[in-house]
Amino acid sequence: MSDRWLAVAFISPALLLLLAMSVFPLLWALYLSFTDYSATRGGPANFIWFGNYTAILTSAQVHLRALTTLIYVVGAVTLQTVLGFAIAYLISRRVHGRGLLTTLFLVPMMLSPVVVGLFWRFMLDAQFGVINSMLGSLGLGQVEWLTRQRTALISLIVVDTWQWTPFIMLIALAGLTAVPKYLYEAASIDRASEWFRFRTITLPLVWPLLLIAVLFRAIEAFRLFDLVYILTSGGPGVSTETLSFHVYKVAFLGFNTGTASAYGILMVLVVIVLTQLYLRYLNKLKED
């Protein structure tokens, strides 16, 4: 066999698997989004064209879920970015024990989201949770973390921050350790202050890498499902019902498969458009 056909022979199984597991379901969901298909109803699907998309985009319930998702994404990603960079900056300044500290901070990220959800559900339990026990020992009242609208979404943000701050920290730490040492040495010779070195050397060099980490975390947060399912099931009411969890309810509880497919296609389009705008900003930042 020639090198070309040998390469085709080795690549074909993986390519066929990719087409079967990723491309075909996406195209099938695109087809179903233009129909009234239901997984529990017999008979062929009827084309309704853009009926599902019109119903979704004009629904007040969808606007409320989108707002909840936006609040969650902005709150969680912002908190993770600030804490992750701060922890990475403090670890990078240590000489001894850096590897041990990094490993300890990475433990939450290694856990399954289901395990994290169950762990924090017991921790935040209103009657028997460790958090309320600590508040009671301090003379403070108990808080219904997961059963009140004011605290349920905040609790989700805190739990997601606890698990995924190490991801931001790891990328920021890689950027901090890659900053050339001679820049700091030159700043020290010029007697530059610590704040000046951080503002003019550290932050500008790490910022592009940090923005890439923010992009990945924003996409993951936008698709949040597991923590909502384990911790709150979208409640109380619909105060923590994100778009992904709402799609799950439409597809697997209401069995409106066509509508759920339209939800999925719209979410993919939103991610693609925002990612392209974000990447353009990164490219402009790199050129500057």
Side-chain angles (χ1 to χ4, degrees):
M1 296 178 64
S2 64
D3 290 344
R4 180 182 179 83
W5 284 107
L6 190 63
V8 171
F10 278 107
I11 293 175
S12 295
L15 185 60
L16 292 175
L17 182 63
L18 178 64
L19 291 174
M21 300 298 293
S22 299
V23 178
F24 173 74
L26 181 62
L27 296 177
W28 184 247
L30 180 62
Y31 161 73
L32 292 179
S33 67
F34 294 104
T35 68
D36 62 350
Y37 178 74
S38 175
T40 58
R41 188 183 65 225
N46 300 315
F47 268 95
I48 57 175
W49 298 106
F50 291 96
N52 289 327
Y53 292 96
T54 303
I56 291 172
L57 295 176
T58 58
S59 172
Q61 293 183 351
V62 176
H63 298 164
L64 179 61
R65 272 69 170 186
L67 179 61
T68 301
T69 305
L70 179 64
I71 294 173
Y72 170 79
V73 171
V74 173
V77 175
T78 301
L79 195 57
Q80 292 165 25
T81 303
V82 173
L83 290 177
F85 182 76
I87 295 171
Y89 183 73
L90 294 176
I91 292 178
S92 66
R93 296 173 62 87
R94 290 184 59 89
V95 178
H96 303 289
R98 180 186 299 181
L100 178 61
L101 284 175
T102 304
T103 304
L104 291 177
F105 277 113
L106 289 178
V107 169
M109 191 179 70
M110 301 176 186
L111 300 177
S112 167
V114 176
V115 174
V116 172
L118 291 173
F119 170 74
W120 278 98
R121 197 168 111 187
F122 289 119
M123 291 278 288
L124 298 173
D125 186 84
Q127 295 182 347
F128 309 105
V130 176
I131 304 298
N132 276 344
S133 297
M134 294 175 60
L135 293 177
S137 63
L138 295 175
L140 302 176
Q142 292 186 343
V143 179
E144 297 180 0
W145 298 102
L146 303 176
T147 55
R148 293 186 61 184
Q149 292 186 359
R150 294 183 178 180
T151 56
L153 188 58
I154 296 175
S155 299
L156 277 177
I157 293 174
V158 170
V159 173
D160 192 74
T161 301
W162 179 82
Q163 183 178 17
W164 291 110
T165 294
F167 176 77
I168 303 289
M169 180 209 72
L170 187 64
I171 295 181
L173 187 61
L176 288 170
T177 53
V179 176
K181 300 297 182 183
Y182 66 83
L183 296 177
Y184 293 117
E185 294 172 357
S188 300
I189 294 174
D190 293 336
R191 296 184 179 181
S193 64
E194 188 71 27
W195 168 247
F196 180 84
R197 282 186 285 180
F198 174 80
R199 182 171 54 88
T200 59
I201 299 176
T202 304
L203 192 58
L205 293 178
V206 180
W207 186 244
L209 194 61
L210 199 61
L211 288 178
I212 295 176
V214 169
L215 173 63
F216 284 118
R217 279 304 307 139
I219 293 174
E220 288 295 322
F222 182 73
R223 300 187 297 114
L224 176 75
F225 169 79
D226 33 33
L227 285 183
V228 176
Y229 182 80
I230 297 297
L231 287 174
T232 64
S233 296
V238 294
S239 59
T240 60
E241 189 171 307
T242 59
L243 285 173
S244 294
F245 190 79
H246 183 63
V247 173
Y248 158 77
K249 291 177 64 176
V250 171
F252 298 104
L253 300 182
F255 296 104
N256 297 318
T257 312
T259 305
S261 299
Y263 270 110
I265 296 300
L266 285 175
M267 291 178 67
V268 170
L269 291 176
V270 169
V271 171
I272 290 175
V273 171
L274 294 180
T275 301
Q276 289 300 316
L277 294 175
Y278 197 84
L279 290 176
R280 287 186 179 183
Y281 171 73
L282 285 178
N283 291 331
K284 182 179 178 182
L285 187 66
K286 182 179 179 180
E287 292 174 359
D288 294 339

Tab-separated table of all heavy atoms in Angstrom, residues 4-5 14-15 20 22 32 34 41 56-57 62 67-68 82 90 94 104 123 138 158 161 168 204 225 246 254 267:
chain	number	residue	atom	x	y	z
A	4	ARG	N	-0.285	7.124	1.116
A	4	ARG	CA	-1.585	7.781	1.139
A	4	ARG	C	-2.692	6.810	1.571
A	4	ARG	O	-3.497	7.126	2.454
A	4	ARG	CB	-1.897	8.373	-0.238
A	4	ARG	CG	-3.252	9.086	-0.311
A	4	ARG	CD	-3.519	9.615	-1.710
A	4	ARG	NE	-4.804	10.270	-1.782
A	4	ARG	CZ	-5.028	11.533	-1.429
A	4	ARG	NH1	-4.019	12.284	-0.979
A	4	ARG	NH2	-6.231	12.055	-1.538
A	5	TRP	N	-2.732	5.632	0.949
A	5	TRP	CA	-3.768	4.675	1.289
A	5	TRP	C	-3.556	4.085	2.680
A	5	TRP	O	-4.516	3.726	3.370
A	5	TRP	CB	-3.814	3.559	0.247
A	5	TRP	CG	-4.477	3.993	-1.012
A	5	TRP	CD1	-3.889	4.258	-2.213
A	5	TRP	CD2	-5.879	4.242	-1.193
A	5	TRP	NE1	-4.814	4.669	-3.138
A	5	TRP	CE2	-6.050	4.662	-2.532
A	5	TRP	CE3	-6.984	4.164	-0.362
A	5	TRP	CZ2	-7.300	4.992	-3.047
A	5	TRP	CZ3	-8.233	4.485	-0.871
A	5	TRP	CH2	-8.389	4.887	-2.197
A	14	ALA	N	-11.467	5.895	12.979
A	14	ALA	CA	-11.739	7.017	13.876
A	14	ALA	C	-12.667	8.035	13.230
A	14	ALA	O	-13.558	8.597	13.883
A	14	ALA	CB	-10.428	7.693	14.296
A	15	LEU	N	-12.492	8.263	11.926
A	15	LEU	CA	-13.339	9.219	11.220
A	15	LEU	C	-14.776	8.719	11.139
A	15	LEU	O	-15.730	9.489	11.344
A	15	LEU	CB	-12.782	9.456	9.814
A	15	LEU	CG	-13.486	10.532	8.982
A	15	LEU	CD1	-13.401	11.882	9.681
A	15	LEU	CD2	-12.871	10.620	7.587
A	20	ALA	N	-20.380	8.942	13.124
A	20	ALA	CA	-21.524	8.231	13.696
A	20	ALA	C	-21.945	8.800	15.043
A	20	ALA	O	-23.140	8.863	15.357
A	20	ALA	CB	-21.196	6.744	13.835
A	22	SER	N	-21.028	11.968	16.406
A	22	SER	CA	-21.121	13.423	16.545
A	22	SER	C	-21.877	14.080	15.401
A	22	SER	O	-22.862	14.798	15.634
A	22	SER	CB	-19.702	14.022	16.647
A	22	SER	OG	-19.027	13.526	17.773
A	32	LEU	N	-35.035	17.046	13.013
A	32	LEU	CA	-36.169	16.952	13.934
A	32	LEU	C	-36.647	18.317	14.406
A	32	LEU	O	-37.820	18.479	14.758
A	32	LEU	CB	-35.794	16.094	15.141
A	32	LEU	CG	-35.555	14.604	14.886
A	32	LEU	CD1	-35.176	13.907	16.177
A	32	LEU	CD2	-36.787	13.959	14.267
A	34	PHE	N	-37.313	20.833	12.799
A	34	PHE	CA	-38.308	21.395	11.874
A	34	PHE	C	-39.588	20.568	11.842
A	34	PHE	O	-40.428	20.769	10.966
A	34	PHE	CB	-37.731	21.498	10.457
A	34	PHE	CG	-36.601	22.476	10.339
A	34	PHE	CD1	-35.296	22.026	10.244
A	34	PHE	CD2	-36.845	23.839	10.330
A	34	PHE	CE1	-34.248	22.925	10.139
A	34	PHE	CE2	-35.801	24.738	10.223
A	34	PHE	CZ	-34.503	24.289	10.129
A	41	ARG	N	-44.933	9.250	20.532
A	41	ARG	CA	-46.105	9.247	19.663
A	41	ARG	C	-45.800	8.475	18.388
A	41	ARG	O	-44.778	8.694	17.747
A	41	ARG	CB	-46.508	10.674	19.317
A	41	ARG	CG	-47.846	10.766	18.555
A	41	ARG	CD	-48.154	12.187	18.171
A	41	ARG	NE	-47.171	12.688	17.216
A	41	ARG	CZ	-46.603	13.880	17.288
A	41	ARG	NH1	-46.891	14.674	18.297
A	41	ARG	NH2	-45.728	14.264	16.386
A	56	ILE	N	-40.056	29.093	20.588
A	56	ILE	CA	-38.987	29.219	21.589
A	56	ILE	C	-38.559	30.668	21.757
A	56	ILE	O	-38.454	31.189	22.877
A	56	ILE	CB	-37.788	28.340	21.186
A	56	ILE	CG1	-38.153	26.867	21.305
A	56	ILE	CG2	-36.567	28.653	22.054
A	56	ILE	CD1	-37.103	25.924	20.748
A	57	LEU	N	-38.312	31.342	20.644
A	57	LEU	CA	-37.780	32.709	20.707
A	57	LEU	C	-38.792	33.715	21.231
A	57	LEU	O	-38.400	34.792	21.705
A	57	LEU	CB	-37.287	33.137	19.321
A	57	LEU	CG	-36.098	32.346	18.768
A	57	LEU	CD1	-35.769	32.788	17.353
A	57	LEU	CD2	-34.876	32.516	19.666
A	62	VAL	N	-38.788	30.869	28.215
A	62	VAL	CA	-37.431	30.696	27.690
A	62	VAL	C	-36.566	31.907	28.045
A	62	VAL	O	-35.384	31.758	28.397
A	62	VAL	CB	-37.469	30.477	26.169
A	62	VAL	CG1	-36.058	30.403	25.592
A	62	VAL	CG2	-38.230	29.205	25.839
A	67	LEU	N	-32.138	34.130	31.171
A	67	LEU	CA	-31.615	35.079	32.155
A	67	LEU	C	-30.966	34.346	33.327
A	67	LEU	O	-29.890	34.745	33.806
A	67	LEU	CB	-32.745	35.983	32.653
A	67	LEU	CG	-32.360	37.028	33.706
A	67	LEU	CD1	-31.319	37.986	33.154
A	67	LEU	CD2	-33.594	37.784	34.183
A	68	THR	N	-31.608	33.281	33.782
A	68	THR	CA	-31.021	32.473	34.868
A	68	THR	C	-29.672	31.900	34.457
A	68	THR	O	-28.697	31.935	35.232
A	68	THR	CB	-31.971	31.328	35.249
A	68	THR	OG1	-33.230	31.872	35.668
A	68	THR	CG2	-31.394	30.497	36.376
A	82	VAL	N	-11.280	35.089	39.076
A	82	VAL	CA	-10.612	35.899	40.111
A	82	VAL	C	-9.904	34.998	41.121
A	82	VAL	O	-8.711	35.184	41.422
A	82	VAL	CB	-11.634	36.819	40.805
A	82	VAL	CG1	-10.982	37.538	41.984
A	82	VAL	CG2	-12.198	37.829	39.816
A	90	LEU	N	-0.345	33.337	43.978
A	90	LEU	CA	0.264	33.079	45.285
A	90	LEU	C	1.133	31.828	45.252
A	90	LEU	O	2.217	31.796	45.849
A	90	LEU	CB	-0.829	32.941	46.350
A	90	LEU	CG	-1.639	34.208	46.650
A	90	LEU	CD1	-2.754	33.911	47.643
A	90	LEU	CD2	-0.733	35.320	47.189
A	94	ARG	N	5.780	30.891	45.590
A	94	ARG	CA	6.397	29.985	46.544
A	94	ARG	C	7.502	29.181	45.870
A	94	ARG	O	7.415	28.835	44.693
A	94	ARG	CB	5.361	29.020	47.133
A	94	ARG	CG	4.352	29.690	48.066
A	94	ARG	CD	3.430	28.632	48.665
A	94	ARG	NE	4.178	27.631	49.403
A	94	ARG	CZ	4.479	27.718	50.680
A	94	ARG	NH1	4.100	28.787	51.385
A	94	ARG	NH2	5.151	26.760	51.288
A	104	LEU	N	-3.129	19.482	45.726
A	104	LEU	CA	-4.262	19.583	46.654
A	104	LEU	C	-5.389	20.430	46.065
A	104	LEU	O	-6.570	20.094	46.203
A	104	LEU	CB	-3.795	20.165	47.990
A	104	LEU	CG	-2.878	19.273	48.832
A	104	LEU	CD1	-2.423	20.007	50.090
A	104	LEU	CD2	-3.589	17.982	49.214
A	123	MET	N	-23.793	18.620	52.420
A	123	MET	CA	-23.170	19.736	53.125
A	123	MET	C	-24.149	20.896	53.336
A	123	MET	O	-24.130	21.561	54.370
A	123	MET	CB	-21.959	20.233	52.336
A	123	MET	CG	-20.794	19.281	52.288
A	123	MET	SD	-19.755	19.362	53.755
A	123	MET	CE	-18.954	20.941	53.502
A	138	LEU	N	-21.839	29.028	65.719
A	138	LEU	CA	-21.428	30.430	65.807
A	138	LEU	C	-22.565	31.341	66.264
A	138	LEU	O	-22.386	32.562	66.329
A	138	LEU	CB	-20.905	30.912	64.444
A	138	LEU	CG	-19.632	30.236	63.933
A	138	LEU	CD1	-19.296	30.714	62.527
A	138	LEU	CD2	-18.458	30.506	64.875
A	158	VAL	N	-21.545	28.744	43.907
A	158	VAL	CA	-20.473	28.423	44.851
A	158	VAL	C	-19.948	27.016	44.624
A	158	VAL	O	-18.730	26.782	44.611
A	158	VAL	CB	-20.980	28.598	46.301
A	158	VAL	CG1	-19.964	28.038	47.294
A	158	VAL	CG2	-21.249	30.066	46.603
A	161	THR	N	-17.976	26.874	41.447
A	161	THR	CA	-16.706	27.571	41.669
A	161	THR	C	-15.738	26.697	42.440
A	161	THR	O	-14.536	26.653	42.136
A	161	THR	CB	-16.954	28.889	42.422
A	161	THR	OG1	-17.830	29.710	41.649
A	161	THR	CG2	-15.655	29.630	42.674
A	168	ILE	N	-9.000	27.054	36.165
A	168	ILE	CA	-8.455	28.379	35.883
A	168	ILE	C	-7.080	28.526	36.532
A	168	ILE	O	-6.147	29.070	35.932
A	168	ILE	CB	-9.406	29.472	36.389
A	168	ILE	CG1	-10.795	29.313	35.767
A	168	ILE	CG2	-8.838	30.850	36.106
A	168	ILE	CD1	-10.880	29.650	34.319
A	204	PRO	N	-0.305	41.451	31.643
A	204	PRO	CA	-0.386	41.451	30.168
A	204	PRO	C	0.079	40.153	29.521
A	204	PRO	O	-0.467	39.747	28.487
A	204	PRO	CB	0.536	42.622	29.777
A	204	PRO	CG	0.555	43.511	30.971
A	204	PRO	CD	0.495	42.583	32.141
A	225	PHE	N	-25.824	21.060	33.521
A	225	PHE	CA	-26.990	20.213	33.756
A	225	PHE	C	-26.845	19.383	35.030
A	225	PHE	O	-27.754	19.341	35.863
A	225	PHE	CB	-27.214	19.278	32.562
A	225	PHE	CG	-28.232	18.209	32.827
A	225	PHE	CD1	-29.576	18.498	32.770
A	225	PHE	CD2	-27.839	16.911	33.162
A	225	PHE	CE1	-30.531	17.518	33.030
A	225	PHE	CE2	-28.783	15.926	33.426
A	225	PHE	CZ	-30.127	16.235	33.355
A	246	HIS	N	-33.803	22.782	31.237
A	246	HIS	CA	-35.114	22.970	30.622
A	246	HIS	C	-35.258	22.097	29.371
A	246	HIS	O	-36.327	21.520	29.124
A	246	HIS	CB	-35.312	24.447	30.268
A	246	HIS	CG	-36.661	24.749	29.699
A	246	HIS	ND1	-37.834	24.564	30.407
A	246	HIS	CD2	-37.038	25.222	28.479
A	246	HIS	CE1	-38.873	24.906	29.663
A	246	HIS	NE2	-38.414	25.300	28.493
A	254	GLY	N	-41.543	15.927	28.947
A	254	GLY	CA	-42.656	16.291	28.079
A	254	GLY	C	-42.676	15.536	26.763
A	254	GLY	O	-43.687	15.535	26.060
A	267	MET	N	-28.974	26.600	20.965
A	267	MET	CA	-27.870	26.721	21.927
A	267	MET	C	-26.523	26.550	21.230
A	267	MET	O	-25.558	27.260	21.556
A	267	MET	CB	-28.036	25.677	23.040
A	267	MET	CG	-29.225	25.957	23.953
A	267	MET	SD	-29.448	24.696	25.228
A	267	MET	CE	-27.984	24.946	26.223
